Amino acid sequence: MNNNPQSAIRNPQSDLLSVEIAGIRFNNPVLTASGTCGYGLDMAELIDLNKLGGVCTKGLSTRPLGGNAPWRIVETHGGMLNAIGLQNIGARAFVEEKLPELRRYDTRIIPNVFGYTVEEYIEAIEILEDGEGIDGYELNISCPNVKAGGESFANDARQAAEVTAAVKRAARRPVIVKLSPNVTDIAVIARSVEDAGADALSLINTAVGMSIDINTRRPRLANVTGGLSGPAIKPIAVRCVFQAFRAVKIPLMGIGGIATVEDALEFIIAGALAIQVGTANFYDPSASMKIIDGLADYCRRNGLENIGALVGTVELNH
Amino acid sequence: MNNNPQSAIRNPQSDLLSVEIAGIRFNNPVLTASGTCGYGLDMAELIDLNKLGGVCTKGLSTRPLGGNAPWRIVETHGGMLNAIGLQNIGARAFVEEKLPELRRYDTRIIPNVFGYTVEEYIEAIEILEDGEGIDGYELNISCPNVKAGGESFANDARQAAEVTAAVKRAARRPVIVKLSPNVTDIAVIARSVEDAGADALSLINTAVGMSIDINTRRPRLANVTGGLSGPAIKPIAVRCVFQAFRAVKIPLMGIGGIATVEDALEFIIAGALAIQVGTANFYDPSASMKIIDGLADYCRRNGLENIGALVGTVELNH
Amino acid sequence: MPGTIDTLATVECNDLIESVSTRSYGQLRLRLDRQIPVLPGQFAMIKPHGHYEPLLRRAMAYYRCGLGKKSLSVDFIYQILGRGTQMLAKLKAGDEVDFLGSLGNTFYIEAAHRHEALLVAGGVGSAALFMLAEELVRCKIPTKLFIGGAGRGDLCGLGDFISLLSSDQVISATMDGSYGEKGFVTVPFEKHLQSRRGEPMIIYACGPDPMLHRVSQIADQFAVPAQLSLESPMACGFGICVGCAVAVKAESPVGFIYKKVCTDGPVFWSNELHW
Amino acid sequence: MPGTIDTLATVECNDLIESVSTRSYGQLRLRLDRQIPVLPGQFAMIKPHGHYEPLLRRAMAYYRCGLGKKSLSVDFIYQILGRGTQMLAKLKAGDEVDFLGSLGNTFYIEAAHRHEALLVAGGVGSAALFMLAEELVRCKIPTKLFIGGAGRGDLCGLGDFISLLSSDQVISATMDGSYGEKGFVTVPFEKHLQSRRGEPMIIYACGPDPMLHRVSQIADQFAVPAQLSLESPMACGFGICVGCAVAVKAESPVGFIYKKVCTDGPVFWSNELHW
Ligand SMILES: Cc1cc2nc3c(=O)[nH]c(=O)nc-3n(C[C@H](O)[C@H](O)[C@H](O)COP(=O)(O)OP(=O)(O)OC[C@H]3O[C@@H](n4cnc5c(N)ncnc54)[C@H](O)[C@@H]3O)c2cc1C
Ligand SMILES: Cc1cc2nc3c(=O)[nH]c(=O)nc-3n(C[C@H](O)[C@H](O)[C@H](O)COP(=O)(O)OP(=O)(O)OC[C@H]3O[C@@H](n4cnc5c(N)ncnc54)[C@H](O)[C@@H]3O)c2cc1C
Ligand SMILES: Cc1cc2nc3c(=O)[nH]c(=O)nc-3n(C[C@H](O)[C@H](O)[C@H](O)COP(=O)(O)O)c2cc1C
Ligand SMILES: Cc1cc2nc3c(=O)[nH]c(=O)nc-3n(C[C@H](O)[C@H](O)[C@H](O)COP(=O)(O)O)c2cc1C
Ligand code: FES
Ligand code: FES
C-alpha cells in the first residue's frame, strides 16, 4: 500500500466518482465517519488515505476532553454501543499537531465539531478557521444543550436551527450538519437546519441504546446509555436519508452500518451524494477502500459517467 | 409436547414466575408479541400454550383488513423489516372463530387492538367486550391517526393520551398501551399515557426502517418503509424500558429482540415486569418455552421467591 | 400443520455442485433421527445451528428423501445467493442444522390420473419437482419434464430426472444454448401442448416468477390445469408472520385476498392466483 | 503501529483443551503467509472469516509463534465465553480467519537484566506470558511463574511453562485446591517476595483485574517494579475507536488521563495506573 503522502497520484477513478458537496470537491464519495477513524492519521498504516474521499475527524471541542470512564463500548447483535464521551485533543491541538501531517494526503479534511453551548461551537470553529487545509466542518449537534435544559440540540428543530445559523455566521468554510435519528420526525429537523443555512446534512448519528450486565445488574457502559451503531441500524439510517432527501434540497451524506459497496449503493439510491463508513472501520479496516473500488466498478458496469447520476433514484411506483 | 388444552396442569413454576399486571394474573411473565404468533392457536403445534404466560394476538380492527401487497418482509442484519399492513380477520371473527378454542388453554389472552380513528378503537373494543375469556387489551397506538393528519397516535403525547382515555372509558377490562420507539422522548409519551389512565405499558413496537434493492432500485417492501424488529433493536428497547420505568408507576412489559433468557433478564432488570417474545418466534419457535424454564432456573439459583423481586433492580452507582 | 417438528438435524453430506455455470449450487443431505411425513412439494425451514446470523431460517424444498431404520434423510438443492445460502454452503458432514418441517401443502397428484403430467422447472425450482416426478412414476402416470436454466450447469438435478424418466421424456432449454434448445423452457413446453392439444394433460411447475407467469398463460390458453409451486420471502414458514402473502382471487372489494404461501401453499392452482 | 497487517490467516489446528474444569478452553494455531514481528505481550484481533456475527474481532494475546520458510505460525489460547470465542471454537483446520496484527506494545524486558523475573498469571492470562518467559530464558534471566486458576484445568499452558522453566520454578495455586496451593495465587507470590525482600526483582503479570490489582498492591508494598498486561473491551485494536480506555496517572484536574489499552498498552507499569 502506498502510504507516502507526497507520491499521491490523482486517482484515475475520480471522474467516475468525484462529487461536489457544499462546494467541496471530493475525489470520491466515501469518507470515514467521525469517531471511527481517529484524526485520520491513525488509519494511515492500514489504508491509503490518498484514495479516500475524505476524513471526518473525531469530534473536536474548544478544549481537550478526557471522555467517559470505562467501559465505553459494548458489542450488540449487529452493532455496538459506545459512550466514549467525546474524548478529544481539542481543536487547537488538532490544528497544530494533526493537521500539518494530515493535509499532506490528497483527501478532504472535515473536522467534526461539537459544544455544549452555542458559544462553544463558535469558539471551536474559530480555532479551526486558522487551520490550513480544512475543507469544511461537520457539526455534531447530538450534544446536550446545557443552557437549554440539557436536551440535545439535534432533538429540537428550533435549537438545531439556532446552532446551525450561529455557526454559519462564524464559519468561512462550508458547514455540514449531522442529524440524529432519535427524533419523531427527521424531515422537520432537516428542513429547519436547511432553512438555517446548512450547506449539507450528514445522517445518521447513533441511536440511543443501553445494555445491562445481568450478572452485576449494572449498565455495561459506565455512562449508562450509549449510541448504537453498525449494520443493526442500517435500515433506520436508509429510511432517514430517504425522508431527508424528500424534505430538503441540500446534499446529503449517508451514514449508518455501511460496510460494503452494496450498502453504499443503497444509501446513494436513497438520496445520499456521499457516504461515511463508521463502525465497519473497526472490524474491517479496508472497508472504505473496497467500497471505493466497488463503486467505480458499478459505474463502469452500468455505464454511469458519474456516481451522482444514481443519487435518489429509488423508484416508488410498483 | 402436551397440546391438549383440557389436560392443563397448573405449572409448578408459577409461584416463582407468576406476576400480576393491571390486575391480570399471569402464570409467568412471558408472552408472545402481537403479530408474531398469529392468534395464538397457530403456535399450538410447536409449543405448549398452557405453559405460556400469555398471548398478544395479531392486531385486531373493527373490520377484517387485507393487508399490504407483497413483499412484506425483508431480513436485515440482526433483524427484519415488516410491512404486513395489519392484515387481520377482524375483532368479530376473532371472538367467534378463534377465542372459543384459544380460551381452552391455561394462558392469558390479550387481544392487540388498533384503529385509524379513536372511534375505530372504541368500536373494536366494544366487539371484544363480548368475548369470553379475554383478560385485557393491548392498544397498538403506532397507527396513523387519519383524522389528525395521519401522524401516528404514538408519536404525539396528546393524541396518545386521547386514544388511551377514550378506550379506558369504553373497556371493562384492563388496558395496556403499546408505545413506539420512534419518538424524541419516550418518557413524555409514557407519562402522558399513564395520566390518561393506562393500566400498563408495553414497549417497544418496531422502529421505522427501509431497505432498497440495489438491482431494481425499488424499496424491497411494497409499502416502502416497514418496522424493524429483532435482536438489532434490543439495545434501543432496553433503553426505552429503562427510561419508562423511571417515568411512570404502572407496570411495564418489555419487547424488542428478546430471544433468550439472558435477554429476558436484561429487560426485567431494566424495569419490565413481563416480557414479550416477537421475531424470535419465527426463527426459534420454542424461544418462549426456553425463556420460561430459564427464568425459573434463575429464580431457584438466586434464591428469588418470585421473579418480581428483580424488576428494575439495575444499579446505577458505579 | 400436524406433524411439523422443530428439531436438530445432522449434515450427512454437503456437496458444492461442480458446474460450468456462473452460479453456484450445493446439495445438502440431512439426517433426522425421527421419521416425519415428507410429501412432494413440501419444504423445510433450515439454518446452521448455533450461528447468530442470518437470523431467519431459509425455506428449502425437499428434493428427495430416504428412510433409514429409525431415521430419515432428506436432500435439498440450493443456489448460493445471499447470506443464508452462503452459510449453508459452509456446512460440513456432522454439523448440526436447525430443522423445522415438514411444511406446506403438497401437489395434487390424484388429478393426474389418466392424464399426461407435464413438469416445468426453471433453475433451482426443479428441486421441488423431483419427489413429485418419483410419485408420478410410481403411479404409472406418463410424465415429461421441461427443464430450463441459464446454462447447462443450471439444470439442477438433470441427471436424476433423466435416470428416473428416461432421456426422451426430459426436454431441456438453456438461455445460452449450452444444452438442449436455446431460449426459454416455456417455448418447447408450449409447442408440446400445441402438438397434443385436446389430450388430457396436467401441468406442475416451479421456477422464477416470470416463468410461472408464462406457464400460467399457456395453461390458460390450452385450458390445461396447472399447479404452481411458489416462492415468497418467509420469516417463519408455519403461518404466524403473514409475511409470505400471495394474492388469490376472491370475492372482495379488490377482487382478491391474501393467502399464505407457507401454509396455504406453496402449491396453488394457477387459476386461483391473482397475478 | 508500523508493521501491522490486515490479512487472512489459515487455521492449522484448533484443539479444544480437555480439562476437568467447568470452563472450556481452546488452542488455536494460525498460519500467515507473511512474516511480521511478533513480540511478547502483543496481540492480534481475530475473527472467523466470512461470518457476519459477531461483528467485532476479538483481541487475543500471542501465546507462542513459530517461523516457517516464508510463513509464520502463531498460537493462541482462548477461554470459551461468549459469541466471539464460541465462534473461534468452531474453527477447523483449513478455515480462514481475519487477522489484524501485530498490535500493542511489548513487555520491557531490558528492565529484567540482573533481576529475578516473577511472572504472575491468572486463568487464561497466562497465555500472554509464555513468549515473555521464553524470551527471559533466552536472556538467561532467572524466571519464576506463579500461576493460578479456579482448578487444575484452568492453569492454561502449565505443561509448556514447566517444560520451559522446570517444575520447581512454577508455583501453582487453585481455588478448589485441585492442584498446587489452595487459594489465590497472590498468596504464594507475596510469600516469595517476603522471603526475598531486598533482592532485585521485577514482576510481569496478566490475569483478571482483581488479581492485577492485588499484584499491584504487593508490588507497591515491596517496592518492586511491575508490568501488567491489561484487558479492556476493544472494538478496533489499533487506536481509532478510543473504546479501550484505561486511567493513567497524569497532571490533570482529575489526576489522570485516559490512555488506550490497544496502542499505549496492553502492557503498563503498575505505578502508572490510576486504579
Ligand atoms: C417454499 C420455498 C421453497 C424454496 N426452495 C428452495 C430450494 O429448493 N432451493 C433454493 O435454492 N431456494 C429455495 N427457496 C428460496 C430460499 O428460501 C431463499 O429465499 C433463497 O435461497 C435466497 O436466500 P439467501 O439466504 O441466499 O439470500 P438472502 O439475500 O440472504 O435472502 C434474504 C431474505 O430474503 C428472502 N428471499 C430472497 N430472495 C427470495 C426469493 N426470490 N423468494 C423468496 N424469498 C427470498 C430469504 O428467504 C431471506 O429471508 C425456496 C423458497 C420457498 C419460499
Ligand atoms: C489485549 C487483550 C488480549 C487478550 N488475550 C486473550 C487471550 O489470550 N485469551 C482469551 O481467552 N481472551 C483474551 N482476551 C479477551 C478476549 O478478547 C475477549 O474479550 C474474551 O474472549 C470474551 O470474548 P467473547 O466473544 O467470548 O465474549 P462476548 O461476551 O461475546 O464478548 C462481548 C464483547 O465484550 C468484550 N469483552 C467481554 N469480556 C471482556 C473482558 N473481560 N475484557 C475485555 N473485553 C471483554 C469482547 O471483546 C466483545 O467485544 C484478550 C483481551 C485483550 C484486550
Ligand atoms: C466509537 C464511536 C465514536 C463516535 N464518535 C463520534 C463523534 O465524535 N462525533 C460524531 O458526530 N459522531 C460520532 N460517532 C458516530 C459515527 O460517526 C456514525 O454517525 C455512527 O456510528 C453511525 O455509523 P456506523 O453505523 O457506520 O458506525 C461515533 C461512533 C462510534 C461507533
Ligand atoms: C411480522 C410482525 C408483525 C407485527 N404485527 C404487530 C401488530 O399487529 N400489532 C402490534 O402492536 N405490534 C406488531 N408487531 C410488533 C411486535 O409485537 C413487537 O413489538 C416488535 O416486533 C419488537 O419485538 P421483537 O424484536 O421481539 O420482534 C409486529 C412485528 C412483526 C415482526
Ligand atoms: S412465512 Fe410466516 S406466515 Fe408464511
Ligand atoms: S480498541 Fe479501539 S482504540 Fe483501542
Side-chain angles (χ1 to χ4, degrees):
Chain A
M1 201 152 296
N2 177 6
N3 290 321
N4 185 344
Q6 254 84 33
S7 71
I9 304 159
R10 201 175 146 69
N11 198 315
Q13 301 177 336
S14 55
D15 289 340
L16 293 175
L17 296 187
S18 72
V19 295
E20 192 180 301
I21 295 179
I24 311 166
R25 189 103 219 137
F26 292 86
N27 289 343
N28 63 65
V30 180
L31 292 82
T32 47
S34 176
T36 68
C37 59
Y39 303 103
L41 299 168
D42 312 71
M43 306 254 340
E45 191 66 28
L46 290 168
I47 65 170
D48 182 0
L49 287 180
N50 291 314
K51 185 172 167 177
L52 203 59
V55 168
C56 298
T57 69
K58 176 70 194 162
L60 294 166
S61 49
T62 318
R63 272 161 293 276
L65 280 181
N68 289 333
W71 283 14
R72 293 175 167 195
I73 57 171
V74 178
E75 188 169 1
T76 65
H77 193 126
M80 60 180 278
L81 290 166
N82 89 78
I84 306 300
L86 294 166
Q87 172 172 349
N88 79 98
I89 58 174
R92 176 70 62 207
F94 172 75
V95 169
E96 289 170 3
E97 295 162 25
K98 304 289 178 181
L99 195 54
E101 170 76 7
L102 188 56
R103 53 183 288 241
R104 295 168 65 209
Y105 292 91
D106 180 22
T107 191
R108 300 294 80 74
I109 301 172
I110 316 285
N112 177 284
V113 180
F114 73 94
Y116 294 101
T117 61
V118 172
E119 294 71 32
E120 283 182 14
Y121 277 93
I122 307 288
E123 250 183 274
I125 293 283
E126 278 167 356
I127 297 169
L128 293 166
E129 285 285 89
D130 297 342
E132 267 187 71
I134 289 174
D135 294 287
Y137 305 112
E138 181 179 60
L139 294 196
N140 174 6
I141 61 168
S142 299
C143 291
N145 182 344
V146 293
K147 283 209 184 151
E151 211 212 330
S152 160
F153 286 98
N155 291 1
D156 182 84
R158 207 185 44 71
Q159 289 178 42
E162 192 194 335
V163 65
T164 304
V167 167
K168 270 303 286 180
R169 279 191 297 272
R172 260 185 308 124
R173 301 187 175 112
V175 175
I176 303 160
V177 179
K178 184 163 177 181
L179 304 187
S180 151
N182 306 299
V183 295
T184 305
D185 189 345
I186 197 148
V188 169
I189 312 284
R191 268 192 297 266
S192 165
V193 166
E194 177 182 48
D195 290 345
D199 298 295
L201 301 178
S202 59
L203 63 176
I204 58 174
N205 214 315
T206 53
V208 182
M210 179 174 180
S211 172
I212 299 171
D213 182 327
I214 60 169
N215 297 311
T216 63
R217 296 206 313 273
R218 290 178 191 280
R220 283 183 201 268
L221 295 174
N223 189 52
V224 182
T225 61
L228 183 64
S229 65
I233 65 166
K234 197 185 80 171
I236 298 175
V238 171
R239 183 262 300 173
C240 288
V241 167
F242 172 80
Q243 292 176 333
F245 186 73
R246 271 152 184 72
V248 300
K249 295 206 165 51
I250 50 178
L252 308 178
M253 295 204 188
I255 326 170
I258 298 175
T260 65
V261 65
E262 290 80 16
D263 297 336
L265 288 166
E266 192 173 346
F267 278 83
I268 294 170
I269 294 168
L273 181 49
I275 60 95
Q276 297 183 15
V277 179
T279 302
N281 294 320
F282 302 156
Y283 61 90
D284 182 12
S286 58
S288 54
M289 300 289 110
K290 294 180 216 162
I291 291 172
I292 293 165
D293 291 340
L295 289 178
D297 271 3
Y298 180 92
C299 290
R300 283 192 211 101
R301 275 203 323 275
N302 291 277
L304 294 186
E305 287 188 12
N306 182 273
I307 190 76
L310 199 64
V311 176
T313 56
V314 55
E315 289 176 35
L316 294 189
N317 47 326
H318 268 261
Chain B
M1 201 153 295
N2 175 7
N3 290 322
N4 184 344
Q6 253 85 34
S7 71
I9 304 160
R10 201 174 147 69
N11 197 316
Q13 301 176 332
S14 56
D15 289 341
L16 293 175
L17 296 186
S18 71
V19 295
E20 193 179 300
I21 295 179
I24 311 167
R25 189 101 219 139
F26 293 87
N27 288 343
N28 62 64
V30 180
L31 291 80
T32 48
S34 176
T36 67
C37 59
Y39 304 103
L41 298 168
D42 312 70
M43 307 257 335
E45 192 66 26
L46 290 168
I47 65 170
D48 182 359
L49 287 180
N50 291 314
K51 186 172 167 177
L52 203 59
V55 167
C56 297
T57 70
K58 177 71 193 161
L60 295 165
S61 49
T62 318
R63 271 161 293 275
L65 279 182
N68 289 333
W71 284 13
R72 293 175 167 194
I73 56 171
V74 178
E75 188 170 1
T76 66
H77 193 127
M80 59 180 278
L81 289 166
N82 89 79
I84 306 300
L86 294 165
Q87 172 171 353
N88 78 99
I89 58 173
R92 176 70 61 207
F94 172 74
V95 168
E96 289 170 2
E97 294 162 26
K98 303 290 179 180
L99 195 54
E101 171 76 6
L102 188 56
R103 53 185 289 242
R104 295 166 68 208
Y105 291 93
D106 180 22
T107 191
R108 298 296 80 75
I109 301 171
I110 315 284
N112 177 284
V113 180
F114 72 95
Y116 294 100
T117 61
V118 172
E119 294 70 34
E120 283 182 15
Y121 277 95
I122 307 288
E123 249 184 275
I125 293 284
E126 278 167 355
I127 297 169
L128 293 166
E129 286 284 89
D130 297 342
E132 269 187 69
I134 289 175
D135 295 287
Y137 307 111
E138 181 179 59
L139 293 197
N140 174 6
I141 60 168
S142 299
C143 291
N145 181 344
V146 293
K147 285 208 184 152
E151 211 213 330
S152 159
F153 285 98
N155 291 1
D156 182 85
R158 209 186 41 73
Q159 288 178 42
E162 192 195 334
V163 64
T164 304
V167 167
K168 271 302 287 179
R169 279 192 297 273
R172 258 185 309 125
R173 300 186 176 114
V175 174
I176 303 159
V177 178
K178 185 165 177 179
L179 304 187
S180 152
N182 307 297
V183 295
T184 306
D185 189 345
I186 199 149
V188 169
I189 313 282
R191 268 191 298 264
S192 165
V193 166
E194 177 182 48
D195 290 345
D199 298 296
L201 302 178
S202 58
L203 65 175
I204 58 174
N205 213 315
T206 54
V208 182
M210 178 173 179
S211 173
I212 298 171
D213 183 327
I214 60 169
N215 297 312
T216 63
R217 298 207 311 276
R218 290 177 191 281
R220 283 184 201 267
L221 296 173
N223 189 53
V224 182
T225 60
L228 183 64
S229 64
I233 65 167
K234 197 185 80 171
I236 298 176
V238 171
R239 183 262 301 172
C240 287
V241 168
F242 172 80
Q243 291 176 334
F245 187 73
R246 271 153 184 73
V248 301
K249 296 207 164 51
I250 50 179
L252 307 179
M253 295 205 189
I255 325 171
I258 299 174
T260 65
V261 65
E262 289 81 16
D263 297 335
L265 288 167
E266 193 173 347
F267 278 83
I268 294 169
I269 294 168
L273 181 50
I275 60 97
Q276 298 183 14
V277 179
T279 302
N281 294 320
F282 303 156
Y283 61 90
D284 183 11
S286 58
S288 54
M289 301 289 109
K290 293 179 215 161
I291 291 171
I292 293 165
D293 291 340
L295 289 178
D297 270 3
Y298 179 92
C299 289
R300 282 190 212 102
R301 274 204 324 275
N302 291 277
L304 293 187
E305 286 189 11
N306 182 274
I307 190 75
L310 199 63
V311 176
T313 55
V314 55
E315 289 176 35
L316 295 191
N317 46 325
H318 267 260
Chain C
M1 182 79 12
T4 304
I5 59 165
D6 181 13
T7 189
L8 283 180
T10 310
V11 175
E12 289 211 331
C13 50
N14 185 30
D15 301 315
L16 298 197
I17 298 174
E18 293 295 333
S19 89
V20 284
S21 169
T22 49
R23 298 156 211 213
S24 311
Y25 301 88
Q27 185 161 348
L28 174 70
R29 174 166 298 171
L30 298 181
R31 192 183 60 247
L32 280 80
D33 55 12
R34 280 161 71 177
Q35 300 191 335
I36 52 167
V38 172
L39 305 173
Q42 286 193 307
F43 65 99
M45 298 288 290
I46 60 173
K47 175 183 159 174
H49 180 65
H51 284 262
Y52 295 102
E53 193 67 30
L55 221 51
L56 301 175
R57 305 182 187 200
R58 295 296 186 260
M60 287 291 151
Y62 290 129
Y63 175 61
R64 205 158 48 184
C65 77
L67 279 181
K69 247 204 175 126
K70 285 183 170 179
S71 70
L72 175 73
S73 79
V74 284
D75 287 14
F76 304 93
I77 297 183
Y78 55 93
Q79 183 182 354
I80 304 171
L81 287 170
R83 293 189 167 196
T85 45
Q86 280 162 21
M87 287 298 163
L88 290 183
K90 291 191 183 167
L91 287 169
K92 300 199 174 101
D95 286 346
E96 286 181 316
V97 168
D98 292 331
F99 176 98
L100 180 71
S102 295
L103 300 166
N105 63 2
T106 177
F107 291 104
Y108 189 54
I109 293 174
E110 289 69 24
H113 285 286
R114 278 184 281 271
H115 287 62
E116 182 182 32
L118 306 178
L119 277 47
V120 193
V124 76
S126 56
L129 298 177
F130 189 73
M131 282 185 63
L132 170 68
E134 287 183 316
E135 188 60 28
L136 290 167
V137 167
R138 205 172 296 130
C139 297
K140 304 205 167 28
I141 293 164
T143 301
K144 233 188 187 63
L145 171 71
F146 298 85
I147 185 168
R152 165 69 185 88
D154 303 294
L155 305 177
C156 297
L158 183 65
D160 289 336
F161 278 106
I162 290 178
S163 313
L164 180 72
L165 301 174
S166 91
S167 64
D168 53 327
Q169 297 307 313
V170 176
I171 294 93
S172 306
T174 53
M175 295 310 293
D176 63 4
S178 57
Y179 192 84
E181 272 189 40
K182 186 174 159 86
F184 288 113
V185 69
T186 45
V187 176
F189 166 66
E190 187 175 1
K191 263 188 239 152
H192 180 80
L193 281 181
Q194 213 134 23
S195 69
R196 301 283 174 99
R197 198 188 274 268
E199 291 179 25
M201 291 179 287
I202 182 165
I203 300 164
Y204 300 99
C206 185
D209 269 1
M211 184 201 94
L212 292 181
H213 200 171
R214 184 76 195 108
V215 167
S216 178
Q217 288 172 333
I218 297 171
D220 254 20
Q221 190 187 325
F222 294 94
V224 176
Q227 286 213 306
L228 312 180
S229 177
L230 304 186
E231 285 193 12
S232 134
M234 292 187 174
C236 70
F238 63 101
I240 59 168
C241 75
V242 207
C244 59
V246 59
V248 167
K249 289 176 199 157
E251 284 188 33
S252 89
V254 285
F256 63 86
I257 56 166
Y258 287 113
K259 288 206 168 185
K260 299 177 198 169
V261 173
C262 68
T263 49
D264 300 316
V267 181
F268 293 87
W269 288 105
S270 90
N271 60 7
E272 279 184 280
L273 298 174
H274 177 92
W275 288 95
Chain D
M1 182 77 17
T4 303
I5 60 166
D6 182 13
T7 189
L8 283 179
T10 310
V11 175
E12 289 211 330
C13 51
N14 186 29
D15 302 316
L16 298 197
I17 299 172
E18 293 296 332
S19 89
V20 284
S21 168
T22 49
R23 297 156 212 214
S24 310
Y25 301 88
Q27 185 161 349
L28 173 69
R29 174 166 299 171
L30 298 182
R31 193 183 60 247
L32 280 79
D33 55 13
R34 279 161 70 178
Q35 299 191 337
I36 52 167
V38 171
L39 304 175
Q42 285 193 306
F43 64 99
M45 298 288 291
I46 60 173
K47 175 183 157 174
H49 180 65
H51 284 262
Y52 296 101
E53 192 68 28
L55 221 49
L56 302 175
R57 305 180 188 202
R58 295 295 186 262
M60 286 291 151
Y62 291 130
Y63 176 60
R64 207 160 44 185
C65 76
L67 279 181
K69 245 203 179 128
K70 286 182 169 179
S71 71
L72 176 74
S73 79
V74 284
D75 288 14
F76 304 94
I77 298 181
Y78 55 92
Q79 183 182 353
I80 304 171
L81 286 169
R83 292 189 169 198
T85 46
Q86 280 162 20
M87 287 298 162
L88 290 183
K90 290 191 184 168
L91 286 169
K92 301 200 174 102
D95 286 348
E96 286 180 317
V97 168
D98 293 331
F99 176 98
L100 179 71
S102 295
L103 300 166
N105 63 1
T106 176
F107 291 104
Y108 189 54
I109 294 175
E110 289 69 24
H113 285 285
R114 277 184 281 272
H115 287 62
E116 181 182 33
L118 306 178
L119 277 47
V120 193
V124 77
S126 56
L129 298 177
F130 189 70
M131 283 186 61
L132 169 69
E134 287 182 316
E135 188 59 27
L136 291 167
V137 167
R138 204 171 297 130
C139 297
K140 303 204 167 31
I141 293 164
T143 300
K144 233 188 185 67
L145 171 71
F146 297 86
I147 185 169
R152 166 67 185 89
D154 302 293
L155 306 178
C156 297
L158 183 64
D160 290 335
F161 277 107
I162 290 179
S163 312
L164 178 72
L165 301 174
S166 92
S167 64
D168 52 327
Q169 297 307 314
V170 176
I171 293 94
S172 307
T174 53
M175 295 309 294
D176 65 3
S178 56
Y179 192 83
E181 270 189 41
K182 186 174 158 86
F184 289 113
V185 68
T186 43
V187 176
F189 166 67
E190 187 175 1
K191 264 189 237 153
H192 180 79
L193 281 182
Q194 214 134 24
S195 70
R196 301 281 175 99
R197 197 188 275 265
E199 291 177 26
M201 291 180 287
I202 181 165
I203 300 163
Y204 299 98
C206 185
D209 268 1
M211 183 201 94
L212 292 182
H213 200 170
R214 184 77 195 105
V215 167
S216 176
Q217 289 172 333
I218 298 171
D220 254 21
Q221 190 188 326
F222 294 95
V224 176
Q227 286 213 303
L228 312 180
S229 177
L230 304 185
E231 286 191 11
S232 135
M234 292 188 173
C236 71
F238 62 101
I240 59 169
C241 75
V242 207
C244 59
V246 59
V248 167
K249 288 175 198 157
E251 283 187 34
S252 89
V254 285
F256 63 85
I257 57 166
Y258 287 113
K259 289 208 167 184
K260 298 176 197 169
V261 173
C262 68
T263 49
D264 300 315
V267 180
F268 292 87
W269 288 106
S270 91
N271 60 7
E272 280 183 281
L273 299 173
H274 178 93
W275 286 96

